[in-house]
Amino acid sequence: MEARLRRPALRVRADGQDARRDRSDATRHRGRAPPLPPRVRFGGENVVQFGPSSALPHGASTARSLTRNQAVLIDAWDKPEGYYYDITRSTWFGEPSEEYRRVWNVVLEAQGAAIDRAAPGVPCSEVDAAARRVIEKAGYGEYFTHRLGHGLGIDVHEPPYMVGHEKTLLEPGMTFTSEPGIYLPGRFGVRIEDDIVCTERGAESLSPRVERLEPIAA
């Protein structure tokens, strides 16, 4: 599943700026815009956060514009053909620090652990716990400050929820998000979100998952 770019309908809360302008300003000297993070195409509603603002899980509008050596977090959702997608990608504009790379890889590993745990008959709480264990083992447990995910379909947020107290058992056909995150206050945040469906054989991603960090060239 890949959201399509619909420029006339683009509505972006990009820390008080229009993301299209930020992308062009940042690379005007090279005559081209940088690529979007892997597999992300704008459409519907979007939140774009730069730098320290990316450490705010739910976003906040500021006057910050995109400059070199900043984290970039893009959360996009829309309802094509009556059903929602909800995808988040995190990357870096410039050369990422070693810690950013480490955090990014921990988040990706946590997401994979959650998807591997999801299967028919498994409580939603255990899917959340699988991701949380990876992040806690890496020493960032206190910075994973929200549930792993939520049901997805006719509404963008609907039951069941991937959270510690949710005892609902997964069933084939249930769709939900897997979106672990690590948020370091005042520095940066990383969240990777994909849309997952529970099948008879386990869980499969409906959105193409990222495999490695691909920074935006400055």
Side-chain angles (χ1 to χ4, degrees), residues 32-171:
R32 62 181 178 84
L36 291 172
R39 300 291 187 176
V40 171
R41 297 293 183 269
F42 284 122
E45 299 289 340
N46 306 274
V47 173
V48 182
Q49 296 165 261
F50 306 141
S53 294
S54 63
L56 302 173
H58 300 294
S61 295
T62 72
R64 179 180 296 276
S65 295
L66 179 61
T67 59
R68 291 183 182 182
N69 297 319
Q70 290 193 92
V72 179
L73 189 152
I74 302 173
D75 189 347
W77 63 96
D78 199 3
K79 194 178 184 180
E81 301 182 17
Y83 293 91
Y84 274 98
Y85 68 80
D86 188 5
I87 301 170
T88 301
R89 293 292 182 262
S90 296
T91 189
W92 190 273
F93 183 39
E95 181 60 33
S97 66
E98 286 303 313
E99 183 169 25
Y100 185 87
R101 289 183 181 276
R102 170 175 164 76
V103 168
W104 194 96
N105 285 323
V106 169
V107 172
L108 182 66
E109 181 183 353
Q111 188 196 52
I115 295 171
D116 289 345
R117 184 68 187 97
V122 174
C124 295
S125 58
E126 290 191 15
V127 181
D128 176 274
R132 212 163 290 277
R133 281 192 293 270
V134 172
I135 292 175
E136 289 173 351
K137 183 178 179 180
Y140 294 101
E142 65 182 295
Y143 302 110
F144 182 12
T145 56
H146 56 71
R147 65 194 176 205
L148 173 71
H150 52 83
L152 186 71
I154 294 175
D155 292 322
V156 68
H157 286 185
E158 61 183 40
Y161 295 96
M162 305 297 120
V163 67
H165 58 74
E166 180 63 73
K167 303 306 180 185
T168 299
L169 303 182
L170 288 175
E171 300 177 14

